[in-house]
């Protein structure tokens, strides 16, 4: 029997746009065509860059874009949570048209209004390729760490950009709804298969498919060194009837960077013990491992091409000559050498979970067979410390009182409606009782727009460093938060739902947008009176509901 962990999603259509100038294809044309493209990552720096002086980073970008093999350059937005010049500053310094430039846009420093304003700016300046990400938690700032924003996360940002592509509807000056000019964003999202445990990986996959349902057109993979895990992203999409372009991520290692990745100091980047042993061995050589690292990067690119990825994305490089050296080496291999490389470059973490069984013939995943232990565990879930009495009672109370259509819900709706008609609204004593009970049970912050039912009765305001309501960020490691101060809320939520055979329902439905206008008000009243995000009608519906490898067999 197949495992329904989401229903198939339809093929995503992308907005049309004219080709780049000359014979060079646009980024969109490269990804949606038959040509394998090479992308280059450029990371800005912190500090003043005088406009009248030459800039080495801009010169590097120009060198790269002059080479016809470089299909695009990708400009980062404060990676690692560090303060840097914004990506659009560099984009404006490049003479190439915007259709070969991808701007990263993250949510850590901007609320939804600022994100929308930034998106309008990008569109107005001819930059239509956007990689939408939640962003890393801030790690530096003047006078101490900055206060993170995370008003939206990557799912909400993707949904907002999609709404802008469809013609954003906003209130006019007289209160009437006005449709703004449609944008032409080519929306990208990131997904990380490099998670060690099932409870950490499956929420990542669910969130990736939620991003696609909300409007993402292409996928960047997060960073790791295991072709089987990279390939699993394509298997996941194929099992759900999706044919989105997937870009493989390649980072040129050195011993220092590998050690940071290995110690989990850079969110979302994984170097396993096995790979670190090789890095240490080769780094002790005369060239400090350079030949090994160049070859590893080139072999990854060749494997991506052989596996049908739309492109390979090269980062960690400061010289154009090094980009070209790696590409030259990747293109020097034989047509079928990638098969050997795909087997060779498999450096999993100890005890790592894979969704698909391994195909002995290729060493990669078998798209027709789900992990058999996983399938069995769905029928007979293991015990979990997170399935507490508190959680069981919360489920029972929600089923009896907070589920629309039940007698308890209808009675409470009538009661709160009567209070709402009065000038004073909900009696202060009733709201105080709600605050106290929810604080004791859940640590409630009185946000007014409660997401406890979205998160298996774990409050995202206190259990998630980024306040995420649409799924996990990519920064977790070994089931712990990016900040290493607590378990990931979504790993906990997954275990809770799986115990009740409901893991497939995690992250089901439209994107969640928290309404800050409700802060400090009664979330119970907002639920029963249809004011919260469950009923407000502000959340764009996904193109479909769920994710399940229908083609996968037990």
């Amino acid at each position: 029997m197949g495992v329904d962990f989401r229903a198939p999603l339809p093929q995503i259509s992308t907005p049309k746009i004219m080709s780049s100038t000359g014979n060079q294809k646009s980024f969109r044309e490269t990804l949606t065509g038959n040509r394998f493209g090479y992308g280059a990552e450029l990371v800005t720096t912190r500090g003043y860059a005088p406009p009248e002086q030459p800039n080495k980073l801009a010169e590097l970008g120009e060198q790269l874009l002059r080479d016809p093999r470089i299909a695009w350059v990708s400009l980062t937005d404060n990676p690692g949570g560090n303060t840097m010049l914004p990506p659009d500053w560099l984009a404006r310094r490049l003479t190439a048209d915007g259709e070969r430039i991808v701007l990263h846009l993250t949510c850590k420093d901007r609320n939804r209004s600022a994100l929308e304003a930034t998106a309008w700016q990008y569109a107005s300046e001819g930059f239509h390729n956007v990689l939408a990400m939640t962003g890393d938690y801030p790690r530096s700032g003047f006078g101490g760490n900055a206060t993170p924003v995370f008003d939206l996360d990557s799912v909400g940002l993707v949904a907002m950009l999609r709404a802008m592509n469809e013609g954003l509807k906003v209130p006019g000056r007289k209160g009437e709804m006005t449709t703004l000019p449609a944008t032409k964003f080519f929306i990208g999202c990131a997904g990380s298969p490099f998670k060690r445990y099932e409870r950490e990986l499956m929420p990542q996959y669910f969130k990736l498919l939620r991003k696609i349902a909300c409007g993402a057109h292409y996928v960047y993979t997060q960073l790791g060194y295991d072709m089987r895990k990279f390939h699993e992203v394509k298997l996941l999409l194929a099992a759900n009837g999706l044919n989105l372009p997937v870009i493989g991520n390649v980072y040129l290692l050195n011993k220092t960077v590998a050690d940071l990745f290995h110690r989990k100091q850079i969110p979302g980047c994984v170097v396993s013990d096995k790979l670190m042993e090789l890095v240490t061995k080769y780094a002790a050589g005369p060239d400090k491992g350079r030949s090994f690292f160049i070859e590893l990067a080139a072999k990854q690119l060749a494997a991506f091409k052989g596996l049908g990825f739309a492109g390979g994305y090269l980062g960690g490089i400061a010289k154009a000559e090094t980009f070209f050296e790696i590409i030259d080496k990747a293109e020097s291999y034989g047509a079928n050498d990638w098969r050997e490389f795909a087997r060779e470059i498999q450096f999993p973490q100890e005890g790592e979970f894979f969704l698909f069984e391994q195909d002995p013939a290729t060493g990669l995943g078998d798209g027709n067979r789900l992990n058999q232990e996983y399938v069995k565990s769905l029928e007979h879930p293991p015990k979990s410390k997170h399935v507490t009495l508190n959680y069981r009672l919360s489920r029972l109370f929600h089923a009896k009182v907070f589920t629309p259509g039940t007698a308890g819900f209808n009675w409470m709706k009538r009661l709160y409606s009567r209070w709402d008609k009065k000038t004073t609204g909900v009696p202060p004593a009733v709201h105080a009782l709600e605050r106290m009970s929810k604080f004791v049970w859940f640590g409630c912050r009185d946000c007014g727009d409660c997401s406890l039912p979205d998160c298996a009765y774990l409050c995202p305001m206190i259990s998630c460093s980024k306040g995420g309501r649409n799924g996990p960020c990519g920064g977790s490691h070994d089931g712990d938060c990016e900040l290493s101060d607590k378990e990931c809320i979504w790993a906990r939520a997954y275990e809770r739902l799986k115990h009740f055979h409901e893991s497939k329902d995690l992250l089901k439905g439209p994107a969640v947008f928290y309404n800050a206008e409700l802060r400090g008000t009664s979330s119970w009243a907002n639920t029963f009176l249809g004011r919260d995000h469950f009923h407000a009608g502000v959340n764009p519906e996904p193109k479909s509901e769920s994710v399940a490898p229908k083609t996968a067999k037990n």
Side-chain angles (χ1 to χ4, degrees):
M1 154 175 105
V3 179
D4 179 16
F5 74 165
R6 290 295 158 86
L9 301 169
Q11 179 62 48
I12 306 298
S13 60
T14 61
K16 301 296 182 184
I17 195 166
M18 296 301 292
S19 174
S20 291
T21 56
N23 296 322
Q24 183 67 46
K25 290 185 177 181
S26 69
F27 171 65
R28 187 192 308 255
E29 290 170 329
T30 297
L31 288 202
T32 56
N34 295 320
R35 171 197 169 193
F36 182 83
Y38 298 104
E41 178 181 83
L42 297 181
V43 182
T44 60
T45 58
R46 186 174 185 176
Y48 176 52
E52 68 278 2
Q53 296 180 9
N55 182 271
K56 290 183 178 180
L57 192 57
E59 291 174 354
L60 172 59
E62 293 287 7
Q63 282 183 276
L64 293 171
L65 288 167
R66 282 196 294 269
D67 191 302
R69 296 172 302 176
I70 300 296
W72 78 95
V73 293
S74 213
L75 312 184
T76 60
D77 183 10
N78 298 328
N82 299 301
T83 304
M84 298 182 179
L85 281 164
D88 52 298
W89 163 82
L90 179 56
R92 285 190 290 273
R93 294 290 296 263
L94 301 176
T95 58
D97 65 86
E99 294 310 319
R100 293 177 62 203
I101 295 173
V102 178
L103 297 180
H104 297 199
L105 183 58
T106 63
C107 305
K108 79 178 185 69
D109 300 318
R110 307 174 182 91
N111 65 13
R112 66 193 67 188
S113 296
L115 286 167
E116 182 186 332
T118 300
W120 289 121
Q121 175 195 326
Y122 288 175
S124 300
E125 294 179 343
F127 301 118
H128 305 291
N129 306 312
V130 175
L131 178 61
M133 295 184 290
T134 300
D136 298 324
Y137 198 89
R139 293 183 181 272
S140 65
F142 177 73
N145 276 9
T147 301
V149 179
F150 298 120
D151 181 36
L152 295 184
D153 58 17
S154 55
V155 174
L157 180 54
V158 166
M160 185 188 77
L161 294 174
R162 170 192 164 194
M164 295 175 74
N165 277 351
E166 294 173 349
L168 192 63
K169 294 178 174 56
V170 298
R173 293 183 178 180
K174 297 181 179 180
E176 79 287 0
M177 295 304 294
T178 300
T179 301
L180 299 176
T183 52
K184 298 176 287 188
F185 288 120
F186 191 40
I187 309 166
C189 68
S192 179
F194 301 103
K195 300 302 177 185
R196 187 174 181 182
Y197 300 121
E198 174 194 335
R199 64 195 180 103
E200 191 179 16
L201 178 64
M202 293 309 297
Q204 284 287 332
Y205 284 166
F206 290 145
K207 185 178 182 181
L208 173 60
L209 290 155
R210 194 178 207 183
K211 293 175 191 176
I212 295 169
C214 286
H217 300 129
Y218 58 95
V219 177
Y220 271 60
T221 60
Q222 287 264 27
L223 188 59
Y225 297 86
D226 192 323
M227 297 311 302
R228 183 181 169 193
K229 267 292 177 78
F230 276 119
H231 181 235
E232 195 162 272
V233 174
K234 287 187 66 67
L235 293 181
L236 177 75
L237 299 186
N240 287 276
L242 294 167
N243 190 30
L244 268 74
V246 181
I247 298 169
N249 200 335
V250 178
Y251 195 96
L252 181 63
L253 289 175
N254 58 52
K255 189 175 186 299
T256 300
V257 171
D259 184 59
L260 288 172
F261 291 174
H262 180 244
R263 291 189 290 113
K264 303 175 176 63
Q265 297 299 299
I266 307 298
C269 302
V270 178
V271 164
S272 67
D273 293 343
K274 183 179 176 182
L275 177 56
M276 193 64 207
E277 289 177 7
L278 282 179
V279 168
T280 303
K281 171 186 172 182
Y282 285 103
D287 68 347
K288 298 183 179 180
R290 185 180 187 278
S291 298
F292 169 74
F293 298 133
I294 291 286
E295 187 174 38
L296 176 61
K299 287 179 176 179
Q300 284 183 282
L301 290 177
F304 287 141
K305 187 174 183 179
L307 287 168
F309 280 64
Y313 173 55
L314 276 166
I317 304 171
K319 296 181 180 180
E321 294 78 11
T322 308
F323 280 103
F324 303 146
E325 180 183 358
I326 294 172
I327 293 172
D328 287 339
K329 195 167 191 63
E331 294 189 339
S332 72
Y333 297 127
N336 292 310
D337 287 348
W338 69 269
R339 300 181 189 277
E340 178 186 342
F341 302 156
R343 277 186 178 276
E344 175 188 333
I345 305 172
Q346 293 192 17
F347 300 102
Q349 302 172 81
E350 184 178 355
E352 189 162 359
F353 172 80
F354 291 81
L355 177 58
F356 294 91
E357 289 283 353
Q358 190 171 33
D359 181 353
T362 65
L364 300 169
D366 183 343
N368 290 315
R369 292 191 305 137
L370 289 174
N371 182 318
Q372 293 301 287
E373 292 186 6
Y374 165 71
V375 172
K376 292 175 183 177
S377 72
L378 292 175
E379 296 295 328
H380 305 286
K383 291 183 179 180
S384 170
K385 65 180 181 180
H386 300 300
V387 182
T388 60
L389 178 61
N390 180 319
Y391 176 53
R392 293 175 185 273
L393 292 175
S394 298
R395 289 174 58 92
L396 178 63
F397 190 60
H398 186 274
K400 299 294 185 182
V401 178
F402 286 93
T403 301
T406 61
F409 185 93
N410 293 336
W411 186 86
M412 294 291 279
K413 181 177 181 179
R414 289 193 295 271
L415 179 63
Y416 275 85
S417 294
R418 286 199 295 270
W419 285 332
D420 191 56
K421 291 177 183 178
K422 298 179 180 179
T423 305
T424 55
V426 178
V430 174
H431 189 194
L433 175 63
E434 174 191 340
R435 286 200 309 269
M436 182 181 301
S437 63
K438 290 178 68 178
F439 177 79
V440 171
W441 280 70
F442 310 108
C444 176
R445 298 286 180 86
D446 205 27
C447 74
D449 191 1
C450 186
S451 268
L452 285 172
D454 300 316
C455 307
Y457 303 98
L458 296 165
C459 176
M461 303 291 282
I462 64 167
S463 296
C464 179
S465 298
K466 299 177 182 179
R469 299 183 180 217
N470 286 291
C473 72
S476 67
H477 56 85
D478 298 338
D480 289 337
C481 173
E482 176 180 316
L483 302 186
S484 300
D485 60 346
K486 53 186 166 294
E487 286 187 88
C488 175
I489 179 179
W490 296 100
R492 297 163 63 194
Y494 176 80
E495 286 196 3
R496 285 184 163 190
L497 290 173
K498 185 175 179 179
H499 180 83
F500 289 94
H501 306 281
E502 296 171 356
S503 57
K504 64 184 177 62
D505 296 328
L506 183 66
L507 307 183
K508 195 174 183 179
V512 175
F513 290 87
Y514 168 65
N515 185 359
E517 183 181 359
L518 301 178
R519 186 183 300 276
T521 64
S522 168
S523 63
W524 288 356
N526 296 330
T527 292
F528 295 124
L529 300 177
R531 295 170 179 160
D532 60 13
H533 68 271
F534 291 105
H535 310 93
V538 299
N539 303 329
E541 287 291 332
K543 292 182 168 69
S544 168
E545 291 257 323
S546 311
V547 180
K550 291 288 190 181
T551 60
K553 299 178 177 61
N554 290 350

